Amino acid sequence: MPAYLVRLAQIHESFRKAELLALAEVAGAELEIVKYDDDSPYCIVNLPSDAAAKAVASRAMLVQGIYELWGQGSTYDELRAHVKETTPTKWSTYEHCTFSFRIERYRGVQAPAEYTHAIVDSFRFLGFKGKWQFKNPDASFRIFEDYLLDAKEPHHLYLGRWIADSGRDAKNVYDLKKRHYISTTSMDAELALLTANIALAAPGKLFYDPFMGTGGFPIACAHYGAVVTGSDIDGRSIRGTGGSARRGQTGKKNVQMNFEQYATASQYLGGFVSDLTNTPLRLDAQAPWLDGIVCDPPYGIREGLKVLGSRDLATPEEKAVHAKNYQAEGYVPPKRPYSFTALLDDILAFAVVTLVPGGRLSMWMPTANDEDIELLIPSHPCLELSSVCVQAFNKWSRRLLTYRKRRPSEVDAAALEALETRKREYEQGTRASDLNDFRRKYFQGFREFEDMKKEFIRMKVGAGIRKEEASAEADLLEATQTSAKAKVEAAKQQVEAATKTEESAAAKADQLNEHFKVEPSI
């Protein structure tokens, strides 16, 4: 297959390969990744044709452009030699076309005009006789210079013929700053579109978000042609209660208006009030109907995770009141705290019975940069984990987990039977922190030192020290504490190693004593 150079965006690095592979599947094209590095924006792939390359790149969020690879090398001499060796049969195709040449540098300063002219002139051996045309040429060639940090010379060079730009402009169209209706938890537009890509959203597919809020994920899936619907435990976020989370914006806003804003209202089936433990949707494993599920479950940080139901056993009188008023406008059903771990398992169980074979579940879940707060990735025998992408923050991270619904012939029957017979124990309690280990550790763990730093800075400022100096001193204390912890761990390892050595020596001495029958001295 022909080789292509993908110019990647140097952001969300752990998402890039997953998106490329997903878009190749959407395009029905076989894609082989030949060369990839998280630290480089250049990736070499094999694809069947220019049409397949264009189909993959044209809707990608983490790609800037894709190019037919004509050559590569660590120096310009190597690059020209490689071009002469591998592409002579292509030169005649562009002999009389209008064309352009450009040089792009990554981590290098802008090249002076004289340098650019000299480099371009060194490729005269291609024999192009057409007119140089900077705008909209028949063929556009680009030389990529990849520099190491602070290096004076490029460490690798590529020459490629432009095939297509990407769909990154969509993130500007769907920018939350321009959206009519948002909330404080609305997902960033770029990440929502990226999630839709990895979940294989496309025309002719039906996607569902069980935690839709203001509709960020359904809007992203609709952008790529999918028919969408969603639900939320709080119907006010779907219907809108007047205004948006944006400061100064008034008037009634709702999810429907967002779809109308992007001219995708015809793909929106509407939203409804529900949670996964009390869903009105058909749950029949023999008749699955969803092509994809995309969601960002509530982490229970701002407020505890809840589902429909009463915290305590409802009295007959309370049940009668709810039975009478549940259809009234403005009715808010009772809610009870719920285990976050149980919610994750509920999402997987829901996906198993509603996704068609090959369908995708893409959901976000929190984790932390601390082994004490790590959450295990949930699993199910009927779902194959196809990718794990991580968005890192300061003290914690969140992962985008994408699962593929296995076909019946792919399911491990023994594992499925073991899951069905196993009774899993979840967190118990009546408070949100009792039912959500991540929430509890979040507030008790890595938030603790941040609060201490703030108090330290406040006291210093109160004593007449400039805030900038106090902040710098607080950062130094944190670094010192981190260094001290590292030294303690290193000392522990040394002690353990010494102990093992001592135990080994003692064991050898015992063996020698036994062998020579030497009586131990007193």
Side-chain angles (χ1 to χ4, degrees), residues 454-465:
K454 291 179 182 178
E455 179 64 16
F456 177 85
I457 294 171
R458 187 190 66 79
M459 292 173 61
K460 288 286 186 179
V461 172
I465 298 176

Side-chain angles (χ1 to χ4, degrees), residues 10 16 95 171 173 223 456 519:
Q10 200 64 4
R16 300 187 304 189
E95 183 177 359
K171 71 185 183 70
V173 175
H223 169 70
F456 177 85
E519 294 294 333

Side-chain angles (χ1 to χ4, degrees), residues 18-238:
E19 185 188 33
L20 283 174
L21 293 171
L23 292 181
E25 186 168 347
V26 171
E30 180 184 355
L31 181 144
E32 177 188 1
I33 297 178
V34 178
K35 179 181 178 182
Y36 176 84
D37 186 345
D38 275 345
D39 293 329
S40 173
Y42 303 114
C43 170
I44 298 177
V45 301
N46 289 336
L47 282 164
S49 64
D50 289 358
K54 185 175 182 179
V56 170
S58 60
R59 58 176 276 180
M61 293 304 300
L62 299 181
V63 170
Q64 292 186 356
I66 191 165
Y67 302 79
E68 181 187 25
L69 184 62
W70 276 40
Q72 59 176 313
S74 56
T75 66
Y76 270 104
D77 287 339
E78 288 185 11
L79 174 61
R80 286 187 285 265
H82 193 213
V83 172
K84 291 177 182 178
E85 177 185 351
T86 59
T87 62
T89 57
K90 301 177 181 179
W91 300 353
S92 60
T93 304
Y94 308 99
E95 183 177 359
H96 299 289
C97 294
T98 58
F99 69 96
S100 69
F101 261 86
R102 300 182 187 182
I103 296 179
E104 177 189 301
R105 289 181 164 184
Y106 176 65
R107 287 190 292 218
V109 298
Q110 184 175 355
E114 297 79 7
Y115 174 88
T116 302
H117 293 158
I119 292 298
V120 172
D121 195 56
S122 69
F123 286 88
R124 282 185 176 275
F125 62 83
L126 294 173
F128 295 164
K129 300 176 182 178
K131 181 181 178 182
W132 175 286
Q133 185 171 307
F134 192 75
K135 290 186 177 181
N136 302 319
D138 296 328
S140 178
F141 294 86
R142 187 163 297 189
I143 299 169
F144 297 93
E145 297 183 346
D146 190 4
Y147 286 77
L148 296 176
L149 193 62
D150 297 328
K152 301 298 183 182
E153 298 292 333
H155 83 101
H156 209 78
L157 303 158
Y158 306 92
L159 172 64
R161 178 179 65 86
W162 176 81
I163 300 297
D165 290 328
S166 71
R168 275 184 65 77
D169 287 345
K171 71 185 183 70
N172 299 322
V173 175
Y174 290 88
D175 189 348
L176 294 183
K177 296 177 182 178
K178 305 173 185 177
R179 189 171 299 176
H180 290 334
Y181 179 53
I182 62 172
S183 71
T184 54
T185 58
S186 294
M187 177 65 75
D188 171 71
E190 183 177 24
L191 289 174
L193 292 162
L194 184 55
T195 303
N197 270 340
I198 294 176
L200 312 185
K205 293 186 176 183
L206 176 59
F207 273 68
Y208 170 63
D209 180 0
F211 311 97
M212 71 179 297
T214 57
F217 286 121
I219 288 170
C221 294
H223 169 70
Y224 294 118
V227 175
V228 297
T229 185
S231 64
D232 201 283
I233 192 173
D234 188 352
R236 294 170 295 181
S237 65
I238 302 173

Side-chain angles (χ1 to χ4, degrees), residues 365-369 390-399 438:
M365 69 167 285
T367 183
N369 308 326
V390 181
Q391 182 190 20
F393 299 104
N394 183 23
K395 297 289 185 178
W396 68 288
S397 307
R398 59 180 176 183
R399 294 180 285 203
F438 179 79

Side-chain angles (χ1 to χ4, degrees), residues 371-385:
E371 61 182 10
D372 294 331
I373 319 175
E374 181 69 16
L375 293 178
L376 296 178
I377 294 176
S379 62
H380 193 286
C382 296
L383 298 172
E384 175 191 0
L385 184 65

